[in-house]
Amino acid sequence: MELPDEILTQIFDLAADEDVIFQYGLPTVMAETAWFQNALDEWALRSPQEAVNIIQRRSYATKKAIMLTCRTWRRLGSEFLYRCLFFDNPSRLHLLCRILESDINIKNETEQSSVGLGWWTKRIHLTRYYASPNRGASQEDMCNALTTIVKHCPNLSIFVVEWPMPSATFGLVADSLFKYTRKALHTVHWHVSAEAIPKIIWALDSLPLVLAAHIEFDPPTHTTEIHESLHLGSAQNVALNLPYLQQLTLRGSFSEFLEQAVDWILPGLRNLSIDCGNSRSETPDIVGFLERHGDKLKVLDINSIPPLEVPDILELCPQLEVFSFNADWRFQAPTLPATTSDGIPITDDSEPDGASRQRRRQSNTMRLSLGSYFNETSILTHTPHPRIHTIGLHGLLYAFGVGYARIFSSEEPFRSRVVRRSNDLNFGALNRAQFPQLRCIRILSRTLLNDLNKADGPVQDDEVDGMDRWERWWDRCSESNIRLEDCTGGEFGQLPLDAEEEDIEEEEEEEEGDGQANDSEGYSSEGYSDEWEVQVPSMEENDDGIHTQELRQLIKECQAMAEERDESPFSGFIGPAFNLSSSMSSATGHSSAIADESTSLTRPVQLQAP
């Protein structure tokens, strides 16, 4: 039976399973990780980007099998084979260049009107690798190969290069993207040096249809002093207009870039992720950027070591729904405004009188709303934020006494205690008084979760109260119907089990189930019998023996005492305990609903092409 080409094409499309690959949105910090067992049979975490890479490898294997089946399938399957080009070996780029060039030459010689193989390409992904002579690739070779491949792919919509490109290489690649793909390209992922910031600005200016941009900047080289401003040349103070940009991710040394982006026109920006890495001295002007572009943000992720003014940031983002910050930040609690002996408030000369009074009034309102909990929490908002429902927490490596932070705590106990105190205050601030719509808190650190798994849970000793801290946080979230989860999307505290542990747990569950079944059999309506094994003679009503009369008199006295007894003062405490199961079931249903909603947030971002 022969199927039409249209049906075979539909079948191949389903078999390739590339829906996730061709989504324009890039994985965010809220994307879920997954547990897996590596080659050493040890549990490890797979990042969302690694999961996407596995999907691309699996899809390529499927499409290659289709191509090798028969001539008909090879003819129809070539479209799918070249639709996504994924490389983890740089030497393969040269082979692809020869194939694309040969295909174009053959079609030109035979005067065929069909399109080339590169016409089907929608995604190019070059994962991170280390160029070396042993792998037969250099930076110059990679630059020539990439520019050649881009030239043959006019419908390219997603361009991801994870390996760092030198400034000269990126300039040539960006020029090729502008010449051949500017009308189709919607997603870019670039890794460049800080000296390439001017070329990044001009590249974005030449690609106005970009929806999602992930840009990672390496620190300046030794030729550029760290504290010296980079020479942007003609790219300085250029007001870019990117009307379709919805997702922007910046990582590394991006201070100069963010300073230039303040004056850009970004009406569609909804998702902003900022990762400063391990930098402790360089603090980008995030607040200045949010003053211009924060009013429409839906998702904001900030990961930096130096603390920022979270109340000011949240005040600039009234539409925010998902917010992530470093839980190790130390905040200073606001104080009541100073007054004179006559009770007149003393204003701050550095601010206008109106702004100073307004800020103090907002902070005092938040302090009074917290009541007795004020000394146990940080102040993260001037006024309760009406929209945030999910909060992610970076850091927390010292909170549970596991991993390398355990060694550091023994060497510098005072500093580690200060960090843990900040963790408790910041976690205590995640309440309904400051975030009325809060439904989910997610611990984002994969390192912390791996350390907890290796240590088999939090550490509890004289130096670190990791288990007590986990119990306090869990109880606080349970009381407020807030879901506490880790970076996998599961409940924080559920670690993977080995095969032996799973078997033991299953056996225990089976034994408990058998015990309950036996008990239920003994008291079931079918198996239960109210007959005594020994026949007890009945008591005759007219039996007037001495023992019978005493027993009847005792029963009457007990009945009279029961009628005259007052109500127990503890009945009010005992009664609600019988409704515990129903309340727990309702809470569980609420938590599952929250889990479904939070899971939908972690899927790849759906961005609409212009």
Side-chain angles (χ1 to χ4, degrees), residues 181-240:
T181 67
R182 65 180 182 276
K183 295 182 179 180
L185 191 61
H186 296 307
T187 303
V188 294
H189 181 134
W190 297 327
H191 187 173
V192 297
S193 61
E195 287 80 7
I197 290 180
K199 295 182 179 180
I200 288 285
I201 294 175
W202 289 122
L204 292 175
D205 184 51
S206 64
L207 302 171
L209 300 183
V210 169
L211 295 171
H214 177 112
I215 309 173
E216 184 172 354
F217 298 93
D218 286 337
T221 60
H222 64 280
T223 57
T224 304
E225 296 182 2
I226 297 179
H227 299 288
E228 181 184 355
S229 179
L230 296 173
H231 298 288
L232 301 181
S234 59
Q236 190 169 6
N237 299 327
V238 175
L240 298 188

